[in-house]
Amino acid sequence: MAYRLNLFQSLVSVLVLCKPILALDFGQWYSAGNSDLLAPRLYTEHDLKRKGLSDHVSFHPEGASEGFYCHYPNLKSKEWEACNDGADSRWCWLRQLQAQEGESHPKGYTVTTNYDNFAPIGIQRHYHMDISKQTIAPDGIPREARLMNGTYPGAMIEACWGDTVIVHVTNNLDDEGSVIHWHGLRQFYNNDHDGVALTQCPIARGSTWTYNFTMLQYGTTWYHSHYILQYADGVLGPIVVHGPASAPYDVSLPSPHFMSDWVYRKAEEEFDNEKDPVVRGSKADNILVNGIGRSKEAVAAYNGEDIRSLYPITEILPGQRVRLRLINGAAGTSFIFSIDGHALEIIANDLVPVEPKIVDSLLVAIGQRYDIIIHGLDNPSPSGNYWIRTHPADGCNTFRNGLFNSTDSTNEDPLDPRTGILHYGHSSATYLSLPDTTANTITDFSCARISEQTSLRPVVPWSISTTPLNNLTLSTFYPSHQTENDAPYGNYTHWLLRLDPLVEKQGGVSFHNPLFANFSTPSLLDFTNIGQAENDNVIRLPYSSNSTDFIHMVIDGSLLPSTNQTDLDPDVIPLLAHPMHWHGSDVVLLAQSEQPFDPATSMDTWNYENPPRRDTIMAPAGGYVAVAFKPDNPGVWLVHCHIAWHASAGLALQMVIDDGQGLVENMLAGERMKRLEGGCEEWKADLGKVVDYQKEESGV
């Protein structure tokens, strides 16, 4: 570990101190600021072949699908080259061969490039997706699911850093609309392609909707439906964006390790448990990895069959360093991931490359992703088989048979967390026996793991202003549970993000309702009236393109400070952890604590110098998280708990980021607005005339 960190620190020192040689200071490259981020990607791969445009940088990135190539049409092969072709050069992506006339040094794109401001200009990649119903049995028990291109998880979207991805989504469901969200993608100046019910009407039955976005970030993420719990029914899939990495590795596995929980009932039916004031919570029935689940009975009945037909298999060679991408696409379960007897090296969280960190396990909360390197053993066991474990995190799971915790579990028939197998390809290895390995000694199965979550340092640093642009008192929210029925919105108990009642009283503001999206009139299409409906839950924040300006926000999962628990009528705050997800921006983790937020003292402990940065952060039960982000991306952006059942019960708010002078409306004027309006007309003519009056969940 010490060697790896020293190697990385030395690399960074070389890149920073030797700018005259490597020239990774891109400030001199473009005088037009962010213009390269918004530049159109003009060609598809077919266009390049048809027009004979071969004089450009083109290469097959490590771990990419067969026949997949990155193309950069504006970088001529006589002047530029790919530079990530060896295990020890993964930090590099593209470099100029020599300085051009008038330049003091060559240019390049590497892991230290500030991707907020610069991205290479790639090509267009088109994907066609359809949403349909199919009966599947991922663990042997059949149920009707909603799927993307007929598989669970759905088809992988693959791109290179700087590509524009164009996805044509056809809704072939016979009784539902849909919207598809591209989780964690910045969508810079592209709010209308975020894929939520705040930014577009649902896709009508039989209609096709096209999403268009540029991969300004790189790494691992996923897409999923943001419509009526559809992703818990199967509408989700992985996204891989090839780019540089912060540590060396030998090979990269082509498919992510996609973790999820699985519900045997249709998600809308299971949502009845969330709405029930007695049951108070939807349940899951099993754990899946890459769409495969096992039962204890099946493991007990094992009789020497080929393990490749029973479990997801991860292949490795002795001594090999293998990159693996982790995604948690569960509806209600956060997981502790580990591989028996193996060290894991974290190199990215969400879409942010981080300084390498060695662990024996890691928390993957709902919505989070990690890129890790598995350090292969020099002398693995004769069978070559080791268990991969996906264990539900303590306090962050609800299964049909009870809580499935590491200790004090109430689950009378617990599931088996052994969900995959790491297999070594050496001479005595076999696919005809299950592993007999022992789990790593893990001391922390909690769903906060604060020391781990707060220790990850981004490669590209941010320094955070201690003076935010906003009023923090009006940006401190409490995940609450409404105990009184709300007749206009389904007549059931709801979740909500609310202000403290005393703050509301003193400030003359009202912010104590669950968020409910209006499918036929999305906020982005009714911008001047956002906030007038009682369930809009809007926070307005000032736009700024200044890179030193920040918004601060607190999510506090403790008791409301101005009340006692017994006084919280109609709202109570159950002591639960919530994985909070921000759309439209990465957020930095200023603080994460299991103690309540104290506005008088807590800020003295906050980390303002290159804190962890990602798009999904766990708010601990009974404690708080403080985050900061740049308000440089105009639009209407969602903040919500990524427990699907909580979001559907209203645990969300919408952030309006605007300059007060028409920035958002001007950004969407013309064809972009006409397209949105056309989609709404299709929706209203179809299910909109029914669903808008019968909706019993938040729509987000």
Side-chain angles (χ1 to χ4, degrees):
M1 175 180 178
Y3 168 75
R4 177 57 48 78
L5 292 179
N6 289 338
L7 174 65
F8 179 78
Q9 290 164 354
S10 299
L11 169 65
V12 172
S13 297
V14 169
L15 297 181
V16 172
L17 297 178
C18 297
K19 288 179 183 177
I21 301 174
L22 294 180
L24 298 176
D25 177 5
F26 290 93
Q28 303 174 29
W29 191 347
Y30 287 111
S31 60
N34 289 325
S35 60
D36 61 318
L37 300 185
L38 304 177
R41 277 59 176 167
L42 299 176
Y43 302 107
T44 65
E45 194 167 38
H46 176 72
D47 292 333
L48 296 176
K49 294 177 181 178
R50 181 172 56 85
K51 296 183 179 183
L53 300 175
S54 59
D55 182 22
H56 65 272
V57 176
S58 175
F59 61 97
H60 176 74
E62 169 56 39
S65 300
E66 184 177 355
F68 181 94
Y69 283 81
C70 294
H71 298 278
Y72 294 99
N74 65 320
L75 302 182
K76 303 305 179 185
S77 56
K78 295 179 180 179
E79 301 173 0
W80 287 77
E81 67 178 357
C83 51
N84 70 329
D85 54 351
D88 294 324
S89 61
R90 304 300 184 197
W91 59 272
C92 193
W93 191 243
L94 298 162
R95 66 183 168 208
Q96 199 174 34
L97 296 176
Q98 61 183 17
Q100 301 299 296
E101 184 177 352
E103 297 174 349
S104 60
H105 45 65
K107 304 165 185 172
Y109 290 95
T110 77
V111 74
T112 64
T113 298
N114 185 351
Y115 51 84
D116 268 0
N117 295 328
F118 302 101
I121 297 177
I123 63 172
Q124 294 180 13
R125 298 187 188 272
H126 288 255
Y127 287 87
H128 295 266
M129 302 276 193
D130 71 88
I131 311 170
S132 62
K133 293 180 181 178
Q134 268 190 39
T135 297
I136 60 174
D139 59 355
I141 298 177
R143 65 151 289 193
E144 184 183 73
R146 283 107 179 100
L147 305 176
M148 293 289 272
N149 285 7
T151 65
Y152 183 87
M156 184 172 76
I157 289 177
E158 189 173 12
C160 299
W161 183 19
D163 284 346
T164 288
V165 172
I166 301 171
V167 188
H168 311 276
V169 179
T170 300
N171 178 13
N172 285 323
L173 298 173
D174 59 0
D175 58 352
E176 298 175 7
S178 192
V179 291
I180 305 300
H181 171 59
W182 316 96
H183 186 103
L185 296 183
R186 188 179 176 197
Q187 301 290 7
F188 189 57
Y189 275 73
N190 202 38
N191 189 207
D192 46 324
H193 290 266
D194 193 39
V196 296
L198 305 179
T199 59
Q200 68 172 97
C201 288
I203 306 169
R205 294 175 297 177
S207 293
T208 297
W209 188 257
T210 298
Y211 296 94
N212 184 321
F213 43 86
T214 299
M215 298 303 196
L216 306 179
Q217 306 135 286
Y218 53 86
T220 306
T221 190
W222 59 307
Y223 61 85
H224 60 85
S225 173
H226 237 296
Y227 176 94
I228 306 186
L229 290 162
Q230 275 179 353
Y231 98 71
D233 280 328
V235 185
L236 46 72
I239 299 175
V240 170
V241 186
H242 298 288
S246 64
Y249 57 87
D250 298 305
V251 298
S252 180
L253 297 177
S255 298
H257 190 87
F258 203 111
M259 300 169 271
S260 62
D261 50 20
W262 188 242
V263 180
Y264 292 154
R265 299 201 298 167
K266 183 182 177 184
E268 272 193 279
E269 297 173 0
E270 184 59 38
F271 189 52
D272 290 340
N273 282 330
E274 189 67 46
K275 297 187 290 185
D276 191 311
V278 177
V279 179
R280 292 282 294 278
S282 297
K283 314 297 181 185
D285 294 290
N286 209 345
I287 303 168
L288 304 183
V289 170
N290 295 344
I292 299 174
R294 302 299 299 161
S295 66
K296 286 199 311 178
E297 292 76 16
V299 175
Y302 177 76
N303 191 30
E305 299 93 337
D306 191 318
I307 58 176
R308 288 172 291 187
S309 65
L310 301 174
Y311 290 94
I313 306 296
T314 299
E315 303 280 357
I316 191 171
L317 295 175
Q320 200 172 45
R321 297 165 297 181
V322 175
R323 177 178 181 163
L324 178 64
R325 304 170 186 270
L326 306 178
I327 303 171
N328 185 349
T333 308
S334 293
F335 295 107
I336 305 296
F337 176 87
S338 66
I339 302 176
D340 290 1
H342 285 73
L344 311 173
E345 186 173 20
I346 301 172
I347 61 171
N349 62 198
D350 296 352
L351 289 168
V352 179
V354 300
E355 296 177 6
K357 180 180 176 64
I358 302 289
V359 298
D360 62 3
S361 62
L362 70 159
L363 166 71
V364 190
I366 301 169
Q368 289 184 338
R369 295 86 63 210
Y370 284 93
D371 287 30
I372 63 171
I373 297 172
I374 304 169
H375 286 252
L377 304 177
D378 291 330
N379 297 295
S381 67
S383 73
N385 295 326
Y386 293 79
W387 285 118
I388 297 176
R389 299 177 188 263
T390 310
H391 198 294
D394 288 359
C396 283
N397 69 87
T398 53
F399 286 91
R400 190 80 56 204
N401 296 326
L403 292 176
F404 184 13
N405 291 341
S406 58
T407 59
D408 301 323
S409 178
T410 63
N411 200 310
E412 297 177 359
D413 185 23
L415 303 172
D416 192 337
R418 300 175 299 178
T419 53
I421 295 174
L422 182 71
H423 175 80
Y424 280 86
H426 61 71
S427 58
S428 65
T430 177
Y431 291 108
L432 300 178
S433 69
L434 292 174
D436 59 0
T437 54
T438 303
N440 298 343
T441 301
I442 300 173
T443 58
D444 186 2
F445 278 89
S446 73
C447 57
R449 297 188 81 163
I450 290 175
S451 61
E452 173 184 287
Q453 298 278 296
T454 57
S455 66
L456 300 172
R457 292 176 55 82
V459 172
V460 179
W462 283 9
S463 182
I464 313 303
S465 170
T466 59
T467 306
L469 296 182
N470 60 318
N471 182 340
L472 185 59
T473 302
L474 295 177
S475 297
T476 299
F477 298 99
Y478 299 83
S480 308
H481 198 265
Q482 184 183 60
T483 57
E484 288 186 353
N485 288 342
D486 189 348
Y489 296 94
N491 198 32
Y492 66 91
T493 59
H494 291 82
W495 281 97
L496 61 149
L497 278 170
R498 68 158 302 161
L499 290 171
D500 177 53
L502 186 60
V503 170
E504 290 194 5
K505 182 177 180 181
Q506 292 176 341
V509 295
S510 177
F511 211 105
H512 53 262
N513 291 310
L515 174 63
F516 261 68
N518 185 331
F519 281 164
S520 289
T521 311
S523 296
L524 199 58
L525 279 78
D526 193 27
F527 193 75
T528 58
N529 293 318
I530 299 176
Q532 294 188 15
E534 63 177 352
N535 287 79
D536 278 357
N537 266 29
V538 173
I539 177 173
R540 297 183 179 276
L541 300 169
Y543 166 85
S544 174
S545 60
N546 189 331
S547 63
T548 62
D549 286 341
F550 285 87
I551 298 296
H552 293 186
M553 185 177 291
V554 170
I555 306 294
D556 191 345
S558 63
L559 298 180
L560 293 172
S562 65
T563 59
N564 297 314
Q565 182 74 46
T566 55
D567 297 332
L568 296 183
D569 189 9
D571 303 298
V572 297
I573 302 183
L575 297 184
L576 296 176
H578 299 275
M580 300 301 300
H581 175 53
W582 280 259
H583 290 218
S585 176
D586 285 334
V587 298
V588 300
L589 181 56
L590 298 175
Q592 186 180 39
S593 173
E594 293 180 306
Q595 301 300 314
F597 173 62
D598 185 341
T601 61
S602 292
M603 288 179 283
D604 295 338
T605 66
W606 290 6
N607 175 18
Y608 296 97
E609 289 303 320
N610 199 25
R613 186 167 73 246
R614 59 193 318 161
D615 56 67
T616 307
I617 292 176
M618 186 69 80
Y624 78 95
V625 292
V627 303
F629 58 91
K630 299 177 182 179
D632 61 353
N633 197 5
V636 181
W637 302 104
L638 190 62
V639 179
H640 65 97
C641 176
H642 222 293
I643 297 173
W645 321 109
H646 291 184
S648 285
L651 186 51
L653 59 85
Q654 48 184 329
M655 303 185 299
V656 173
I657 298 178
D658 188 45
D659 65 354
Q661 301 179 28
L663 176 61
V664 172
E665 292 173 294
N666 291 335
M667 178 180 74
L668 296 173
E671 292 303 316
R672 290 171 71 176
M673 181 57 69
K674 289 180 181 178
R675 192 179 86 100
L676 292 174
E677 291 172 342
C680 285
E681 290 305 313
E682 287 187 356
W683 167 253
K684 292 176 190 177
D686 186 41
L687 287 173
K689 57 191 175 185
V690 177
V691 172
D692 288 345
Y693 300 103
Q694 295 181 348
K695 182 157 60 94
E696 291 196 356
E697 56 93 63
S698 69
V700 299

